[in-house]
Amino acid sequence: MKIRNTLLLAGSLLLLGACDESKYDLDSLVPEQYHKILYVNNSGKQEVTLYDTGESYAYTFSIFKSGSEPSLTASADIYVLTQEELDNEYSDPEAVNYKLIGTDCYSIESTHLDFSATDRYKPVTVSLDPENIKSMITANPDAVWVLPLQVVSENDSVNSEKNELFLQITGVITPSFGFESSAVSVKEYSYGSAITEKVALGLDTENSWEINCEFAVDDAYRTAYNTKNKTIFQALPDGSYSFQDQMTLSPGTTNTELAVTINTDQLEPGDYMLPIRIESVSIFGISSTNDVYPLTIRILGPLLDRTSWTIEANTQEPSGEGSGNGVPSCALDGDLSTYWHSSWQSGTHALPHELIIDTKETYTFTQFGLVQRQHDSYMDAGAGVFYVSDDKVNWTEVGTFTMQKIHATQNFTLETPVQGRYFKVQITQSNRDLNTSLAEIYAYGL
């Protein structure tokens, strides 16, 4: 019959160090059952997530031997609670529908352990079968599937507070291979610069396998993205980029990088997208959310010299923002601490608010850059439209913009490069009623 002993160490243990010549021997001070005590390290409830890899999952725990004289030999058995015991000890008290996984779902390396005089602990490995457990979860998804283990001994003491290991299966997941992110993040580069992008990807669990994967460009993704988001990303021309179309992830390597080289000598200023898709992997699945990496770049035209430019606006605040501030010229002075502001002291001006810049020469504009007022509470410019003209009379709409509330320069690529002498920034939406402001305005072109 298996015996489960409750442990309370006798207070008389404290006397041992102070009574070197005591007439009492060890057995008279410490009851025999406390000479060697067995317990489960990391006992209690432990959550386990399994991966459907076609291989069993090994969970290892240890049973330790301690007590007043741990050099003694000992023995223990590992016992799996029955469903009835599981209900009595856990399901009913916690009001949780715990279910014991089937015997075909696990195996225990050794259910009987013998401790020699020198053994301080014994490791125990439980092998779990993800495929069979997944079938049980699928058949009864409302249950919480567990494997409750208990350490017992016929002859030795077991700590009743640390005698159980309660493995709770949180789910069985099929590993997937994918990019670290599929978010569109535009990186800006100067015209004619060399570009090498390193794209992070890998497996969503520790890798113990050799995984072969293949990549391809999915230009239909770019087309669909432009349509959905009203963007103007162009396809990178053939021959302007290169990357490995095959890669092997070796065992022990979970994450890696795909190097993409782009030759900008073949590119005109503009916005480009290279959607790289994971075409296939040799085992497991491809991530349903991160199967495509939309590499997006903006090639900026040369920044145009603003030295001789002039600017006017249909509204300004020449006094309310301080002397020399609030006027249109502040948007061309190269000083981020100054800013143009729409009128407010003598009454607000209805939207749209317009600023017209005369560049004094004819340029082919490729992008315009705007900078919000450098104050966290007064980043007023919301959205608007760009126009270009040869004569300041006839205007052509060339692009739109939506500004973020950030301090950095925000650049906007035109739908197509447009030639002209004048350009207009028309603000149609404000982040603060009818107030708008800008710290700087830039233009890029050829």
Side-chain angles (χ1 to χ4, degrees), residues 338-366:
T338 64
Y339 52 90
W340 159 82
H341 198 291
S342 61
S343 64
W344 58 265
Q345 194 171 60
S346 58
T348 57
H349 191 289
L351 293 168
H353 299 162
E354 297 182 346
L355 297 102
I356 296 175
I357 296 91
D358 180 359
T359 67
K360 307 300 183 180
E361 296 183 38
T362 297
Y363 292 103
T364 299
F365 298 108
T366 58

Side-chain angles (χ1 to χ4, degrees), residues 3 7 10 31 42 47 67 78 80 117 197 200 226 260 278 296 301 310 316 335 345-346 388 390 432 438-439:
I3 301 173
L7 303 176
N42 203 27
E47 293 186 344
I78 300 170
V80 179
E197 288 276 347
N226 280 339
V260 182
I278 301 173
T296 47
T310 58
Q316 62 178 330
D335 185 352
Q345 194 171 60
S346 58
V388 170
D390 285 323
R432 192 165 60 96
L438 286 171

Side-chain angles (χ1 to χ4, degrees), residues 307-318:
T307 302
S308 62
W309 293 6
T310 58
I311 183 170
E312 59 186 273
N314 68 347
T315 176
Q316 62 178 330
E317 182 52 54

Side-chain angles (χ1 to χ4, degrees), residues 29 46 78 149 175 197 203 215 223 233 235 251 278 288 339 357 379 416 424 436:
L29 287 172
Q46 304 295 331
I78 300 170
L149 305 176
E197 288 276 347
L203 198 64
F215 307 95
T223 302
F233 290 111
I278 301 173
S288 60
Y339 52 90
I357 296 91
M379 296 186 180
T416 58
K424 181 194 299 183
T436 60

Side-chain angles (χ1 to χ4, degrees), residues 132-386:
N132 288 340
I133 293 175
K134 185 176 182 178
S135 297
M136 298 191 75
I137 293 175
T138 302
N140 189 355
D142 295 330
V144 178
W145 294 93
V146 298
L147 179 62
L149 305 176
Q150 193 171 74
V151 176
V152 297
S153 178
E154 292 284 355
N155 304 306
D156 300 306
S157 297
V158 179
N159 186 334
S160 63
E161 299 298 321
K162 301 187 70 174
N163 68 337
E164 291 187 346
L165 178 63
F166 191 89
L167 297 181
Q168 178 176 322
I169 311 301
T170 58
V172 180
I173 300 172
T174 299
S176 64
F177 189 85
F179 293 105
E180 184 177 282
S181 172
S182 59
V184 172
S185 177
V186 180
K187 294 184 179 180
E188 295 182 342
Y189 296 93
S190 300
Y191 182 67
S193 62
I195 301 173
T196 299
E197 288 276 347
K198 293 186 177 180
V199 184
L201 69 162
L203 198 64
D204 61 358
T205 183
E206 292 186 9
N207 181 33
S208 302
W209 309 271
E210 183 170 288
I211 303 174
N212 299 313
C213 53
E214 296 181 343
F215 307 95
V217 175
D218 181 5
D219 199 52
Y221 181 97
R222 178 189 64 86
T223 302
Y225 186 90
N226 280 339
T227 300
K228 180 180 179 181
N229 298 279
K230 298 180 179 180
T231 48
I232 55 172
F233 290 111
Q234 306 173 58
L236 284 172
D238 291 340
S240 66
Y241 62 87
S242 63
F243 60 86
Q244 290 179 265
D245 58 3
Q246 296 183 357
M247 179 182 288
T248 299
L249 203 65
S250 301
T253 302
T254 300
N255 300 296
T256 187
E257 293 179 328
L258 177 67
V260 182
T261 301
I262 300 173
N263 181 7
T264 62
D265 291 343
Q266 302 180 36
L267 303 179
E268 295 297 326
D271 291 357
Y272 296 89
M273 177 183 286
L274 181 68
I276 303 173
R277 179 178 292 278
I278 301 173
E279 283 284 280
S280 66
V281 291
S282 56
I283 55 176
F284 309 136
I286 299 173
S287 171
S288 60
T289 55
N290 291 338
D291 55 334
V292 175
Y293 179 77
L295 191 156
T296 47
I297 62 172
R298 173 172 295 138
I299 305 299
L300 293 172
L303 181 63
L304 300 179
D305 183 3
R306 303 181 296 169
T307 302
S308 62
W309 293 6
T310 58
I311 183 170
E312 59 186 273
N314 68 347
T315 176
Q316 62 178 330
E317 182 52 54
S319 57
E321 298 296 331
S323 178
N325 217 343
V327 295
S329 59
C330 292
L332 296 180
D333 64 2
D335 185 352
L336 291 177
S337 68
T338 64
Y339 52 90
W340 159 82
H341 198 291
S342 61
S343 64
W344 58 265
Q345 194 171 60
S346 58
T348 57
H349 191 289
L351 293 168
H353 299 162
E354 297 182 346
L355 297 102
I356 296 175
I357 296 91
D358 180 359
T359 67
K360 307 300 183 180
E361 296 183 38
T362 297
Y363 292 103
T364 299
F365 298 108
T366 58
Q367 287 99 3
F368 294 123
L370 305 176
V371 183
Q372 295 272 24
R373 178 180 172 183
Q374 304 293 285
H375 191 297
D376 289 343
S377 299
Y378 300 111
M379 296 186 180
D380 305 319
V385 185
F386 294 117

